[in-house]
Amino acid sequence: MYDTTSSTVRRLLVRGMLAGLIAGLFAFAVAYVVGEPSVDASIAVEEAAAQAEHAGHGAAAAAGEAEEEELVSRGVQSTAGLATGVLVYGVALGGIASLAFAFVLGRVGRFTPKATAALVAAAAFTTVYLVPFLKYPATPPAVGNPDTIGQRTTLFFLMILLSVLLGVAAVVAGRRLAPRLGNWNATLVAGAGFAVAVAVACAFLPGNDDAVQAGFPAAVLWEFRLATLGIQAVLWAVFAVAFGSLAQRLLAPAAPRPAVAETVPA
């Protein structure tokens, strides 16, 4: 049984935030290289549509809009702004995931800290991002109807909440079924129940019909969604490796080598 006292949990929290920072650096690199081109393409589509609208309303409206200045330049948004957001996001999620790790360690099976970290990261990626993504996939900025952004945000966070609750219920059900069905069969039954419950939730929750404007390039939208999915996958994969190694060193340090007895010649 591993030590999960308050002092150990604090040290795990620090290591989780450090692992989240490391994962955020990798995620930022992926976001900058893979994600930013699709964002630039989306902005170009928006600007082209705005110019066409201004041309239809006359030069006076276009001149009025031209006087507006950006509060933050696009260059700052795609570098310092992106790095700040991703790193803060990684540190916050790393801290939360480390607390979840401390709670489930030793309670879901006889797994090592590295294996438990991998399971926590996989469960977090699935429930917090992948499942909500399947129902409400990400869209580039300024693509959807701005009047419904509040409703769309509420639905997205509601889907996250349902996914997390259903995931917890699946883990509890799997543990209770394990003595009768065995660990493997109980895992399969709990996983199938989670998938069915998620499908039902997706069927009853309303969709985002106005999340993407008509005529928006499908290729740009597809590239942006793949990029966001890849960013999250890299974030959680790197966190699992980094935090698993740090937690393993803290909770299960390597056993000291036995001393070699000196032989005294006769």
Side-chain angles (χ1 to χ4, degrees), residues 16 26 42 46 52 81 127 138 148 164 171 209 211 229 238:
F26 280 84
S42 174
E46 178 193 6
T127 57
T148 61
V164 171
V171 172
D209 298 331
L229 188 61
V238 174

Side-chain angles (χ1 to χ4, degrees), residues 144-193:
N145 184 359
D147 296 333
T148 61
I149 188 172
Q151 177 184 357
R152 288 185 278 123
T153 302
T154 301
L155 289 174
F156 181 75
F157 280 103
L158 176 60
M159 191 64 204
I160 293 178
L161 178 61
L162 288 176
S163 177
V164 171
L165 292 177
L166 291 175
V168 173
V171 172
V172 173
R175 289 193 60 192
R176 292 186 177 181
L177 292 174
R180 289 182 293 173
L181 303 179
N183 291 332
W184 178 251
N185 292 331
T187 301
L188 291 179
V189 172

Side-chain angles (χ1 to χ4, degrees), residues 130-137 155-156 159 201-208:
L130 182 59
V131 170
F133 176 86
L134 296 177
K135 176 61 179 179
Y136 302 116
L155 289 174
F156 181 75
M159 191 64 204
C202 290
F204 280 94
L205 285 175
N208 284 341

